[in-house]
Amino acid sequence: MAEILREHVLPKDRFVQPGPNALIRCVGLEKWYGGVHALVSVDFHAESGEIVGLVGDNGAGKSTLIKVLSGAHPPDAGKIYIDGDEVQLRTPKEAMARGIETIYQYTAMVPAMSIARNMFIGREPLSRFKIGPFGLMDRRTMVDHATRSLSNIDLTERSPDTPVEELSGGQRQSVAIARAMYFKSKLLILDEPTNHLSVKETNKVLDYVLSLKEQGIGSIFISHNMHHIFPIADRIVAMARGEKIADIMKSDTSIDELTELIV
Ligand SMILES: Nc1ncnc2c1ncn2[C@@H]1O[C@H](COP(=O)(O)OP(=O)(O)OP(=O)(O)O)[C@@H](O)[C@H]1O
Ligand SMILES: [Mg+2]
């Protein structure tokens, strides 16, 4: 199996290279979890407005790469550049401040909190009134913005006060996407957003990713389902055992070729 996979590893000089204005770029990322080498000298990039499909088998290192790029985990080595500036991302908030919004594989939302609160987690608008050193959250502003954002994503039947735990998986993804739209992110990272979604919900998420692209907002989209990624992606990056093994424009490959590469 390893030999067959090896035969399909593209020579690195055939990987797509970043342009001079790449939105995000990393070079030589390394990450160890104890004895597990989760990222092996990974170079990766996304151009602005580009949809990059990130594929690979279980444990390939996809989520780890995303966690490093979004400031959730520090790399052990390597460099990250956003808009050409070298950055040290210590928290997801720092990545958000630079326009990188991430929907993680398992925890996109705080279920017991309302849609409105979830939209503004960590970035709550403060009202003019203060109690001691703490500003009060401007609830009205949050609800107004959430209401408008919900209409953007066709969730008009839901009040912004609805707890997220009452939403379906697809609706939760929609709220996360509305959040990215609201904060005018430059890049939305989605880790397995279509897992456990109905066909209808999946199509909705795929449509949003495409409509974000029309607004100039790119995405890194992780999925096990090549049939979800392939139609929307501009480029496909494949990983195996912590290494990037392919980086290819969609127009230069096919679903069959990629499926053979990663299984
Ligand atoms: N927090 C952690 N602690 C220890 N090991 C980890 C941790 N996170 C990931 N790993 C290990 O790192 C490797 C890469 O995991 P990662 O979650 O990045 O894979 P993945 O490509 O996202 O897989 P999947 O498709 O199953 O989500 C795996 O061997 C995994 O067990
Ligand atoms: Mg993962």
Side-chain angles (χ1 to χ4, degrees), residues 17-123:
Q17 296 299 314
N21 302 315
L23 174 61
I24 190 164
R25 177 165 76 89
C26 62
V27 186
L29 287 186
E30 300 279 349
K31 182 74 188 175
W32 290 84
Y33 292 114
V36 177
H37 202 176
L39 293 180
V40 183
S41 191
V42 174
D43 297 350
F44 178 88
H45 70 280
E47 304 291 343
S48 59
E50 185 183 35
I51 300 177
V52 181
L54 183 54
V55 301
D57 211 351
N58 294 113
K62 306 179 298 295
S63 294
T64 304
L65 175 61
I66 272 6
K67 284 175 190 158
V68 169
L69 292 181
S70 66
H73 288 185
D76 293 322
K79 290 184 168 164
I80 302 173
Y81 301 84
I82 298 177
D83 288 324
D85 299 332
E86 187 180 342
V87 292
Q88 246 97 42
L89 302 170
R90 279 170 294 258
T91 62
K93 239 176 155 171
E94 291 184 13
M96 284 176 185
R98 290 199 165 252
I100 314 290
E101 180 85 22
T102 306
I103 303 177
Y104 295 101
Q105 189 163 9
Y106 299 111
T107 54
M109 301 271 153
V110 181
M113 283 193 197
S114 70
I115 294 176
R117 283 298 303 280
N118 267 285
M119 277 201 57
F120 289 93
I121 280 173
R123 287 174 290 194

Side-chain angles (χ1 to χ4, degrees), residues 138-157:
D138 187 349
R139 194 181 162 283
R140 176 86 171 270
T141 305
M142 286 195 282
V143 169
D144 285 353
H145 288 310
T147 306
R148 239 175 297 147
S149 300
L150 290 181
S151 72
N152 282 341
I153 57 162
D154 297 328
L155 261 180
T156 39
E157 73 276 20

Side-chain angles (χ1 to χ4, degrees), residues 1 6 10 35 50 52 66-67 73 104-105 109 117 125 127 129 168 179 189 191 199 208 212-213 226 241 247 263:
M1 167 102 157
R6 282 287 157 200
L10 294 174
E50 185 183 35
V52 181
I66 272 6
K67 284 175 190 158
H73 288 185
Y104 295 101
Q105 189 163 9
M109 301 271 153
R117 283 298 303 280
S127 76
F129 306 105
S168 75
R179 193 167 63 183
I189 303 179
D191 193 349
V199 174
Y208 287 133
L212 287 178
K213 182 185 163 77
M226 202 62 78
R241 295 178 307 272
D247 191 331
V263 291

